[in-house]
Amino acid sequence: MKQSSSTEEQIWSNRTGLEPRNASAVGTGNKHKSSPFLWVIPLLLAAIMGGLLTYYYNQESRINAHVKKLHLEAEQAALAGKYAEALELLDKALVQRPNVGAFAQDRQITAKAYNLLHQMDEAAKLLKTGRLSEADKIIQTAAKTLNEQQEPVFEKARAALNNRKVTLAVLKVKKEIDQLTTVQALADKLKAIAGLSGKEAETVKQQITDKLAGISYKQAEQMVKKRDFTAALQTVDNGLSYVPDDQKLAKFRDEVLREKKAFEEAEKERIRLAEQQAAEEDLRNQTSSVFITDLSAELDDYGDLHIRGSIVNQGTRPISSVSLIINVNSSTGDYIGETDAYVYPDIMDVGEEGYFETSYYGVYEAAEVTVTNAAWYVE
């Protein structure tokens, strides 16, 4: 019976699957245990669903952690002015979380900062090539945009804008000072840019002071040549009032004082010695004492020509206050202009070598220089 009963139960089970037995079957004389599948399968399904949910939760948590890390790195890069890197990180975050508004908003702000920085690079190129008007328009437009943005991410773009403003102001002044030829005009321009800062500003300030000192030096030299020592000292002192640290001008003031004293003490002696000189020696010393041993010219980044050279006293007596006239010609031989140069030391003994340097402003091209005239006093 048990065998027969067991067989019938298997058949029933095979025919009905997980369906419950009918009442008559349940109520048979032999009581049977419930099938284990009735509770194992739901538990198995619950376990599978729980596993899937856990996997999904962990996966989403990893994605959230990853995009959060990307967002933080993008923020740090943007604040450091690495806009391109920040944009790349934000794009990666948006691929995984395209519906997060904070990512899209930060990307928009970073892109604006990146574009502004790019505009400043364009302005720098224009300034470097002297296209000041075009650069000025870009700078003004960028300044207007930045005035409306207070986010820290714009600091690098703002710093670049401030640098371009200074460069523009400096180049405008640079263009003007090429035309200034008096100490007073240069002093006024120096006051006008006193508030500017930065490398370019310091460069143009130095150029103004160098030119101012050079003009003072040349004017004083001309007065010394005329033996007007009082006027020469006044000119040097005026120059030093604007450029008190100029060593060349300060040294020249000492030389003027010494020469003034020597001139006053030795004037009669010089006349006596001059009268005793032999005609041949006098002619040689007056016409051939100065021999040019070196002459070179270098064009700087601002279009100015810096001229240097040396001479030797090949006469038979010391000479002093040697001045040269130097012609400046283009590479094709066209005349550009001329400038004066004064040799130091002021007094040169026989066979002694002297040096000179001067500048010609606003050439803007390679040029050739030649000494066309020299003048000096024979001691």
Side-chain angles (χ1 to χ4, degrees), residues 21 28 36 98 140 144 195 290 329 362 379:
R21 295 186 177 92
T28 57
Q140 289 183 20
K144 184 178 180 181
V290 173
N329 298 305
E379 298 294 314

Side-chain angles (χ1 to χ4, degrees), residues 159-179:
L161 172 66
N162 292 334
N163 288 338
R164 302 302 175 268
K165 284 182 177 179
V166 171
T167 302
L168 176 63
V170 166
L171 289 176
K172 285 181 177 179
V173 172
K174 170 66 176 62
K175 194 171 184 179
E176 293 174 7
I177 65 173
D178 290 338
Q179 310 301 321

Side-chain angles (χ1 to χ4, degrees), residues 214-233:
I215 291 175
S216 299
Y217 189 96
K218 289 180 180 180
Q219 290 177 347
E221 274 276 0
Q222 294 297 323
M223 295 166 184
V224 169
K225 288 171 65 176
K226 298 176 182 178
R227 298 306 190 223
D228 189 351
F229 298 105
T230 300
L233 286 171

Side-chain angles (χ1 to χ4, degrees), residues 201-271:
E202 292 304 318
T203 299
V204 79
K205 286 177 184 177
Q206 187 63 49
Q207 185 181 8
I208 293 175
T209 55
D210 287 347
K211 188 173 183 179
L212 190 152
I215 291 175
S216 299
Y217 189 96
K218 289 180 180 180
Q219 290 177 347
E221 274 276 0
Q222 294 297 323
M223 295 166 184
V224 169
K225 288 171 65 176
K226 298 176 182 178
R227 298 306 190 223
D228 189 351
F229 298 105
T230 300
L233 286 171
Q234 290 176 346
T235 300
V236 171
D237 288 340
N238 184 47
L240 285 171
S241 68
Y242 297 109
V243 284
D245 297 330
D246 190 88
Q247 295 299 315
K248 183 178 179 181
L249 206 54
K251 184 178 179 181
F252 183 64
R253 188 181 191 281
D254 295 336
E255 291 180 1
V256 173
L257 288 172
R258 287 195 297 269
E259 190 166 345
K260 180 176 182 292
K261 182 179 179 180
F263 178 80
E264 292 170 349
E265 293 177 352
E267 185 63 24
K268 292 182 180 180
E269 182 66 11
R270 293 186 185 197
I271 294 174

Side-chain angles (χ1 to χ4, degrees), residues 15 34 41 49 54 70 72 93-94 107 125 136 143 163 186 188 205 231 269 271 289 317 323 347 351 363:
R15 289 171 61 187
S34 298
I41 292 176
M49 289 301 297
T54 301
L70 290 173
L72 180 61
L94 282 167
R107 193 193 187 287
K125 293 177 183 178
D136 196 4
N163 288 338
L186 288 166
D188 291 342
K205 286 177 184 177
E269 182 66 11
I271 294 174
S289 289
R317 296 185 58 189
S323 63
I347 299 175
V363 178

